[in-house]
Amino acid sequence: MNSPFALRFACSIVLAWLISQPALGQPFPNRKYGQEDKFRQLEEILPTPNSYRAANGEPGPDYWQQRVDYTIDVRLDESQNQIHGSETIRYRNQSPHALRYLWIQLDPNLFASDSDANRLRSGRIGFGNRATMSEIDSILERQSFDGRCVIESVTDAQANRLETFTVDTMMRIDLPEPLLSGQEFSMKIKWSYRINDSKYIGGRTGFEMFEKDGNAIYEIAQWFPRLAAFTDVTGWQHKQYLGQGEFTLEFGDYLVRITAPADHIVAATGELQNPNEVLTDEQRKRLEQARTADKPVWIVTPEEAKENEKEKTEQTKTWIFRAEAVRDFAFATSRKFIWDAQGHRVNDNQVIAMSYYPNEGEPLWSKYSTHAIIHTLNVYSRYTFDYPYPVAISVNGPVGGMEYPMICFNGPRPREDGTYSSATKYDLITVIIHEVGHNYFPMIVNSDERQWSWMDEGLNTFLQYLAEQEWEQDYPSQRGEPELIVPYMQSTNQVPIMTNSESIMQFGPNAYSKPATALNILRETILGRELFDFAFKEYARRWKFKRPMPADFFRTMEDATARDLDWFWRGWFYTTDHCDIALDKIDGYMVDRRTPDEIAADEKNKKEAQLPTLSKKRNKELVKRADQFPELKDFYNQYDPRAVTDEQRAAYQKSLEQMTEHEKELLANTDRFYRLQFRNVGGLVMPIIVLLTHEDGSTKEIRIPAEAWRVDATVCDTLVITAEPIVKFELDPYRETADINRDNNHFPPVLEPTRFQLFKSQRRGSEDNPMSRAKRAQEAKEAKEAKEPSKEPSKEVTDKQPQAPDQGGLGAKKKQEKKKKKRQLSPGV
Ligand SMILES: [Zn+2]
């Protein structure tokens, strides 16, 4: 018989807690049965480091990239909605290779009716058997519209014709002789194309016609033949432009002369070189004032823009812009533009933030756009590098949200009556932060967008979340918080983040939300803010004005943090696993120092507390033979095997006396030992965070690194030691791991109700909103007062109403308010 007196652990006080959470399925599989090693190193997937890209994630000693400079003359033909351009391209071959041909991107070819993109378009029309008129309009327009790039000539610098061959959106230019490493080649291209009408064919470029006044806003992008990228990783990146995967481009300097109707205001990538020729004295004076203003200043006021809309001119003006170290160039032009600006310093760099928008954008745009630009530059520069360019521009027009170097296009507008919903307001601020933020990724940290959408969208959305949260308390961010990604992580039709842009399912969640959330989790839960921020900034510093690939990001983040994150990249970026960790089982223990008599009494009580089995209960009433014949009973009918003997008592006493002082201390220990067992239901390995609640209501948090799953990714456990009994355990209490099922996160179990949202699909900005309801109420009141004049004219509500700028005949009151607003916006004007 074992000595019952030795120091031992037993399930005594915590017997009641030996209940497990309901375990699902089979006994846990182990490695023998082929379990995947979630901590296997990524070397077998990532490209082998070389002299161009180092193993630590930085550019290698032989890193190279091509350089392409452009001088472009472009004319907008407003009557025909056409672009006519001619350009000189200087291509510098900085690769170690000799090139016999160059590939040029002709992105407008996307709009050819026989483009790959059009031929690949889904045949689905409408929803069920319903389609909108505008949808049919759009389908028919795509059939007939030919927006392809018409190439008029391609020559070398001496005007010798060059052979070309066009493959959908790519054109090959055959060089007269191989362009050797270190050599430069100049060529000239003349082209034209028809601009798409965004009413029928939307996208990243196009014009928007305002039927009311017959004027258009042109947002012009992907508009000039430009070099495809040639890189150490892909060679020529000439994967065709199918519409979703964006652009892979080379850095260079641009000089662009834009000829537009003389009454247009032109906004573009780069710095305006000839303000004396295109701006009025007054506009130049205001622009000077704006540079040092502490609030946005009008350069063109709403009234001036409205005046401008009234008639058109046959005259033209040429705006000249110069931009250095950019990978692209875009511009916007219209006679409808209001223009405001404010100077801003990003450490040593003097920047001017500017917004261009029609009166239809008011009152939202003058209130938020330029502020949002400056806010973005502040926050992003802190997490990456100082914004290096001289201007940062946000334009309102037909494009919902699209980024280019120094300039971006953003769609949200209030309703026609000037009211707007909170969704419209936050959509506007959000999209401006996002698109201005793209200056950092991918305009400066020049990732390959055509291949990897997440490298710009994901990283940018992550910083966008940080910037939103610094805009105002409880900003309604749509992406970034782990719990917001749960519905996507639960969904079944998804592909890993590491999927080519064109093959992505659920584009928004995949390329934006999931990588942004993953980085947020990496920052908050896995590395901590300080360590993450250091590494993220190092990545931005290393790859600023260079071309990183996914491995460069993964490797840098490990290199700068002293953390092996291969399991994290593998789980979040290479699989569709989700996080669902279950708190499966809790065993409680404490040191057993009961005497033999106490043990016997406990066991007796326990037995007696148990209900008899059903048969025993029924058999009790049966007549027993041993009762009929008492002589059948003997010693064993009386014997109690659990009864403690004197011998046992003496042995217990003896063992106590023989204990050392240290052993006595251990025996006196009153700590609770809890073994928590976890099960990985979702497959994604993640840190385990548990909140313990003691009997007295106090709590304690334990955080176990994801390496808890390193031997067995399906089940792991941990030991928790506390002085006080624990009454409650909660897994992931701060909802920081995107755990998709919280029903298995509690002990004792708690059911968390599942919620679903009901929503109506509506065009953004068109929804009814509290502002428009207040306005209607006010109008009704005013109408009533007009009938029966009140002695006390109301003032409170009207003061708060933004005036719709497009309503004709401003009353005296409205004029007064306009003036007030103008003063707020332009302290110097
Ligand atoms: Zn984006």
Side-chain angles (χ1 to χ4, degrees):
M1 173 179 177
N2 282 337
S3 163
F5 328 120
L7 181 66
R8 66 183 177 95
F9 297 122
C11 319
S12 57
I13 293 179
V14 283
L15 273 176
W17 301 338
L18 270 169
I19 313 161
S20 306
Q21 299 272 53
L24 299 170
Q26 302 302 311
F28 306 116
N30 60 36
R31 193 70 53 73
K32 196 171 174 184
Y33 303 112
Q35 192 198 115
E36 192 193 337
D37 177 5
K38 309 262 181 186
F39 290 81
R40 201 165 75 247
Q41 291 297 286
L42 278 179
E43 270 92 331
E44 55 201 67
I45 298 177
L46 299 183
T48 309
N50 53 42
S51 66
Y52 308 131
R53 285 162 202 276
N56 65 354
E58 67 181 356
D62 298 326
Y63 176 83
W64 57 267
Q65 63 190 18
Q66 307 294 63
R67 182 193 167 112
V68 197
D69 299 326
Y70 296 84
T71 303
I72 313 178
D73 286 279
V74 58
R75 180 170 60 85
L76 167 70
D77 178 345
E78 197 183 23
S79 62
Q80 301 297 313
N81 293 316
Q82 273 204 327
I83 286 290
H84 296 271
S86 74
E87 64 181 348
T88 301
I89 304 175
R90 287 173 305 286
Y91 187 80
R92 198 176 303 163
N93 181 13
Q94 300 183 144
S95 81
H97 311 282
L99 300 173
R100 296 183 58 239
Y101 46 79
L102 306 175
W103 282 99
I104 303 280
Q105 302 184 35
L106 301 180
D107 305 285
N109 286 5
L110 182 82
F111 298 120
S113 54
D114 62 349
S115 68
D116 283 6
N118 271 334
R119 287 184 291 153
L120 287 167
R121 205 163 288 281
S122 159
R124 213 187 70 190
I125 297 176
F127 195 75
N129 55 0
R130 292 164 65 89
T132 61
M133 297 275 193
S134 63
E135 191 177 2
I136 300 301
D137 257 350
S138 167
I139 290 168
L140 295 176
E141 177 75 5
R142 280 182 196 281
Q143 297 286 312
S144 58
F145 177 71
D146 192 351
R148 86 182 67 218
C149 204
V150 179
I151 299 290
E152 288 157 23
S153 65
V154 181
T155 64
D156 65 13
Q158 290 74 41
N160 300 311
R161 194 174 151 269
L162 295 169
E163 287 296 328
T164 64
F165 190 87
T166 299
V167 186
D168 197 40
T169 62
M170 295 285 166
M171 175 172 74
R172 194 187 70 227
I173 298 183
D174 297 340
L175 301 178
E177 51 196 67
L179 183 63
L180 303 180
S181 176
Q183 285 185 340
E184 191 176 290
F185 182 74
S186 285
M187 67 207 113
K188 290 175 187 290
I189 302 178
K190 271 185 140 174
W191 79 98
S192 64
Y193 71 86
R194 287 174 61 200
I195 306 167
N196 55 300
D197 182 344
S198 64
K199 185 177 173 191
Y200 306 108
I201 301 178
R204 302 184 167 111
T205 179
F207 72 87
E208 175 183 15
M209 179 55 72
F210 292 75
E211 307 292 348
K212 262 191 324 218
D213 52 76
N215 293 301
I217 293 176
Y218 296 86
E219 289 181 326
I220 304 299
Q222 298 94 45
W223 57 279
F224 58 99
R226 50 190 182 168
L227 260 294
F230 183 71
T231 80
D232 62 295
V233 175
T234 48
W236 286 105
Q237 177 49 288
H238 47 17
K239 218 172 152 35
Q240 295 290 339
Y241 183 31
L242 298 179
Q244 185 156 279
E246 293 182 293
F247 312 100
T248 312
L249 300 159
E250 307 281 17
F251 285 108
D253 294 346
Y254 285 68
L255 180 69
V256 181
R257 292 181 282 259
I258 302 166
T259 301
D263 52 358
H264 272 212
I265 294 290
V266 180
T269 300
E271 265 186 309
L272 181 62
Q273 300 297 301
N274 59 338
N276 293 348
E277 292 167 27
V278 294
L279 301 181
T280 64
D281 290 349
E282 182 63 21
Q283 287 166 345
R284 276 184 282 131
K285 206 176 92 197
R286 292 171 181 176
L287 204 50
E288 265 327 296
Q289 286 165 338
R291 287 185 194 280
T292 52
D294 56 4
K295 278 180 189 164
V297 169
W298 300 122
I299 312 302
V300 176
T301 68
E303 293 79 8
E304 289 163 352
K306 211 173 264 183
E307 206 45 46
N308 241 358
E309 288 176 357
K310 288 183 180 160
E311 48 192 312
K312 295 181 187 179
T313 171
E314 295 292 306
Q315 308 288 310
T316 62
K317 271 185 190 168
T318 299
W319 299 57
I320 305 174
F321 294 91
R322 187 184 289 280
E324 285 169 10
V326 288
R327 45 161 262 172
D328 200 359
F329 190 103
F331 66 95
T333 175
S334 177
R335 64 175 59 79
K336 288 179 68 66
F337 279 151
I338 302 168
W339 176 10
D340 75 52
Q342 184 189 336
H344 177 64
R345 196 160 253 293
V346 182
N347 291 325
D348 292 336
N349 187 28
Q350 183 64 44
V351 186
I352 187 151
M354 306 195 279
S355 301
Y356 299 76
Y357 42 93
N359 270 285
E360 284 78 356
E362 285 290 74
L364 267 179
W365 271 73
S366 59
K367 193 174 175 67
Y368 292 117
S369 178
T370 298
H371 267 288
I373 298 172
I374 291 173
H375 178 69
T376 307
L377 300 186
N378 282 338
V379 177
Y380 276 61
S381 295
R382 192 172 351 115
Y383 287 107
T384 57
F385 42 76
D386 289 351
Y387 183 72
Y389 294 132
V391 300
I393 295 172
S394 161
V395 183
N396 180 241
V399 178
M402 187 59 203
E403 70 278 12
Y404 300 97
M406 304 186 216
I407 188 170
C408 56
F409 304 154
N410 302 300
R413 272 181 206 150
R415 284 165 35 133
E416 272 191 38
D417 66 0
T419 65
Y420 52 86
S421 65
S422 98
T424 303
K425 167 188 163 176
Y426 289 108
D427 274 357
L428 178 67
I429 300 167
T430 298
V431 75
I432 294 175
I433 291 174
H434 181 91
E435 307 306 346
V436 173
H438 268 308
N439 274 296
Y440 298 79
F441 306 95
M443 296 303 153
I444 296 169
V445 177
N446 183 17
S447 59
D448 180 346
E449 296 178 84
R450 185 137 309 167
Q451 185 63 44
W452 305 117
S453 293
W454 70 268
M455 286 195 78
D456 65 302
E457 298 302 352
L459 269 57
N460 181 38
T461 303
F462 163 68
L463 287 183
Q464 172 202 329
Y465 169 72
L466 300 186
E468 286 168 1
Q469 292 304 309
E470 286 190 40
W471 179 271
E472 67 184 33
Q473 191 67 38
D474 300 323
Y475 188 96
S477 292
Q478 299 294 308
R479 290 172 164 150
E481 276 282 1
E483 59 187 338
L484 295 174
I485 196 74
V486 165
Y488 171 71
M489 299 301 274
Q490 276 172 320
S491 69
T492 50
N493 54 335
Q494 53 167 300
V495 291
I497 291 175
M498 285 295 290
T499 298
N500 172 261
S501 186
E502 295 295 340
S503 306
I504 291 173
M505 304 166 88
Q506 303 197 63
F507 196 73
N510 178 294
Y512 295 64
S513 317
K514 186 178 171 186
T517 310
L519 295 182
N520 195 29
I521 292 173
L522 190 58
R523 178 172 189 254
E524 301 281 23
T525 301
I526 293 157
L527 296 175
R529 291 187 173 190
E530 206 177 340
L531 191 55
F532 177 95
D533 292 351
F534 174 81
F536 192 81
K537 201 172 175 117
E538 177 66 5
Y539 167 72
R541 188 194 66 74
R542 286 178 174 185
W543 291 96
K544 176 183 170 185
F545 294 116
K546 294 196 172 73
R547 189 191 308 284
M549 292 290 164
D552 303 317
F553 178 66
F554 299 151
R555 285 174 168 148
T556 294
M557 293 302 287
E558 297 191 11
D559 188 60
T561 59
R563 289 284 183 198
D564 175 6
L565 298 171
D566 282 16
W567 61 271
F568 184 82
W569 310 129
R570 186 181 285 280
W572 279 91
F573 288 74
Y574 286 90
T575 78
T576 53
D577 287 350
H578 57 260
C579 175
D580 180 9
I581 301 175
L583 177 52
D584 240 11
K585 191 169 187 285
I586 296 169
D587 295 331
Y589 307 91
M590 65 186 297
V591 174
D592 190 353
R593 56 172 171 277
R594 293 172 299 173
T595 64
D597 285 296
E598 285 166 344
I599 293 173
D602 282 348
E603 282 178 14
K604 189 169 173 240
N605 291 340
K606 186 182 159 192
K607 196 156 194 285
E608 283 173 4
Q610 228 177 20
L611 290 172
T613 68
L614 187 61
S615 294
K616 266 202 178 129
K617 191 176 159 192
R618 288 172 181 167
N619 291 344
K620 202 171 178 186
E621 305 306 318
L622 300 179
V623 177
K624 310 293 181 327
R625 186 169 187 86
D627 290 335
Q628 287 176 311
F629 301 92
E631 65 272 27
L632 293 179
K633 294 188 177 172
D634 72 351
F635 171 80
Y636 289 103
N637 291 85
Q638 305 300 321
Y639 174 65
D640 177 3
R642 286 182 210 84
V644 182
T645 65
D646 286 343
E647 200 185 359
Q648 286 169 324
R649 289 188 188 101
Y652 173 78
Q653 205 51 42
K654 196 176 166 198
S655 87
L656 276 185
E657 283 156 14
Q658 285 173 348
M659 275 188 178
T660 65
E661 282 310 305
H662 179 63
E663 283 171 338
K664 281 178 186 162
E665 274 171 32
L666 285 179
L667 187 66
N669 182 300
T670 57
D671 283 340
R672 265 76 174 170
F673 296 76
Y674 297 94
R675 178 178 178 252
L676 277 54
Q677 194 168 310
F678 307 100
R679 194 158 44 89
N680 184 349
V681 184
L684 191 62
V685 289
M686 286 290 279
I688 300 166
I689 302 112
V690 192
L691 187 71
L692 314 171
T693 306
H694 297 112
E695 237 170 10
D696 64 2
S698 64
T699 58
K700 187 186 170 201
E701 187 184 304
I702 55 169
R703 291 180 166 261
I704 308 162
E707 280 78 0
W709 307 102
R710 69 201 180 285
V711 175
D712 187 336
T714 59
V715 65
C716 71
D717 65 12
T718 193
L719 189 67
V720 176
I721 304 168
T722 63
E724 294 301 317
I726 303 172
V727 294
K728 215 163 79 180
F729 299 79
E730 184 179 359
L731 250 182
D732 190 20
Y734 310 110
R735 303 178 305 288
E736 60 189 286
T737 64
D739 188 328
I740 69 155
N741 176 17
R742 298 187 53 82
D743 288 346
N744 54 21
N745 284 19
H746 300 268
F747 194 88
V750 170
L751 279 183
E752 293 199 3
T754 309
R755 296 181 179 84
F756 57 90
Q757 292 179 327
L758 285 175
F759 64 92
K760 248 187 193 170
S761 166
Q762 265 181 331
R763 189 174 167 274
R764 278 185 177 182
S766 69
E767 59 275 43
D768 197 15
N769 57 67
M771 272 176 87
S772 69
R773 285 194 288 276
K775 189 182 162 80
R776 285 200 301 273
Q778 177 60 21
E779 281 166 358
K781 197 174 171 193
E782 278 172 4
K784 203 178 161 200
E785 280 167 3
K787 272 186 199 164
E788 35 180 302
S790 147
K791 280 174 195 165
E792 260 183 83
S794 153
K795 50 189 178 210
E796 196 208 340
V797 183
T798 37
D799 281 346
K800 286 182 183 166
Q801 289 308 304
Q803 298 303 324
D806 52 345
Q807 284 170 349
L810 293 175
K813 194 174 185 181
K814 283 182 180 173
K815 267 187 191 154
Q816 219 175 10
E817 278 167 4
K818 285 252 163 187
K819 264 189 200 154
K820 205 160 82 189
K821 217 187 296 171
K822 191 169 152 185
R823 274 204 302 278
Q824 283 165 354
L825 267 155
S826 42
V829 181

